[in-house]
Amino acid sequence: DAHAIRAGPLDVVGRIALAIGLAQAVQRAFEVFEAEQQRAIEQRYPGHASDLLHSPASKALILSAPAWNKGHPGHKRAKGAIVAATENDLTIGIVGAGAMGRGIAQVAASGGLAVRLYDAQEGAAEAGREFVAQMLARQVEKGRLEEADAAAAKARIEVVAGLEALAGCQAVVEAVVEDLGVKHQVFQALEAVLDDDAVIASNTSSIRIASIAAACTRPGRIAGMHFFNPVPLMPLVEVIRAPQTGADV
């Protein structure tokens, strides 16, 4: 959506992004970008480099969480590679346990969030959880993660049998097939079971968030949270605000 790059980061979605460990990577990317690119931009666009680097559009693309910098009081670093959330009271639902959904589940659980994973295909969610367990075990073998942390992350992922089990989640990320009709069905079903203030985000990479929100009774709580594949290895998430998205999301 054209409005996405003009908007600031979303508070709830930003907290999730921070919880799953993106803040530190985004900060580092920003520092490298400034150090390595500002000189080249200044040479090409004399006098305008600062405007380009610090424009609202640039910030919206670079900052995926409100507490991205070390100076922010909400930025805490836990042991190992896990970055803790400002508030570890979030439960996130994930609809779709394919490559993207299970990847989102892995980074969310590794960041300390309680995860409820659902897939319409029988056995897919459980398979996704087991795949995550294998990836965590591999990190332990390589010395990148403590065994206790891996076990704790796996335990945070709960496989659920239906969308109604996502009731009580503060946020849900949809990661199903790129079909607008299917997404409309999923979002409408989620609205029927979630609290009114729960955020529903889509991981879509090709469908306008505004088009998804158009079918919802509360379009103000719809947003985009586009992860990149493979999720655990790509420290980047695109946060998208549709024209309908409320300022308090």
Side-chain angles (χ1 to χ4, degrees):
D1 295 332
H3 293 268
I5 62 173
R6 294 200 294 270
L10 307 179
D11 291 339
V12 174
V13 178
R15 284 176 57 198
I16 297 171
L18 176 58
I20 62 180
L22 295 173
Q24 184 181 10
V26 173
Q27 176 192 327
R28 178 57 182 159
F30 185 80
E31 292 173 348
V32 172
F33 181 81
E34 282 194 312
E36 301 297 329
Q37 299 299 323
Q38 186 164 1
R39 186 182 309 172
I41 294 176
E42 187 68 66
Q43 291 176 348
R44 186 169 183 180
Y45 304 103
H48 297 288
S50 179
D51 293 339
L52 289 171
L53 289 172
H54 301 291
S55 67
S58 177
K59 289 181 179 180
L61 291 171
I62 295 172
L63 307 183
S64 62
W68 66 277
N69 64 336
K70 293 180 181 178
H72 194 287
H75 185 86
K76 301 178 181 178
R77 186 170 185 179
K79 293 181 179 180
I82 296 177
V83 176
T86 305
E87 299 177 39
N88 283 329
D89 59 351
L90 286 176
T91 298
I92 181 174
I94 300 173
V95 181
M100 298 303 296
R102 70 193 184 200
I104 297 170
Q106 178 177 334
V107 294
S110 296
L113 298 182
V115 177
R116 298 179 192 171
L117 182 61
Y118 168 75
D119 195 290
Q121 182 178 346
E122 184 176 357
E126 184 61 45
R129 182 174 183 269
E130 289 307 310
F131 184 88
V132 170
Q134 294 173 18
M135 295 300 100
L136 294 172
R138 187 173 300 177
Q139 290 187 39
V140 172
E141 292 174 359
K142 294 181 178 180
R144 298 174 182 172
L145 187 65
E146 295 293 332
E147 187 172 353
D149 290 334
K154 180 183 177 181
R156 292 187 191 103
I157 303 176
E158 176 188 0
V159 171
V160 298
L163 291 177
E164 63 276 3
L166 301 182
C169 290
Q170 287 80 24
V172 174
V173 178
E174 165 272 311
V176 302
V177 64
E178 292 288 76
D179 181 294
L180 182 59
V182 173
K183 292 185 186 294
H184 280 172
Q185 293 176 15
V186 170
F187 273 69
Q188 290 168 354
L190 287 171
E191 284 200 300
V193 300
L194 295 175
D195 293 339
D196 292 346
D197 59 351
V199 173
I200 313 176
S202 176
N203 182 59
T204 182
S205 60
S206 62
I207 299 176
R208 297 179 68 245
I209 301 302
S211 298
I212 297 174
C216 298
T217 57
R218 293 184 176 83
R221 54 146 155 208
I222 309 303
M225 197 171 184
H226 175 220
F227 293 81
F228 293 78
N229 192 30
V231 179
L233 300 180
M234 295 293 287
L236 178 65
V237 60
E238 178 185 17
V239 177
I240 306 165
R241 184 192 298 275
Q244 302 99 314
T245 306
D248 58 341
V249 171

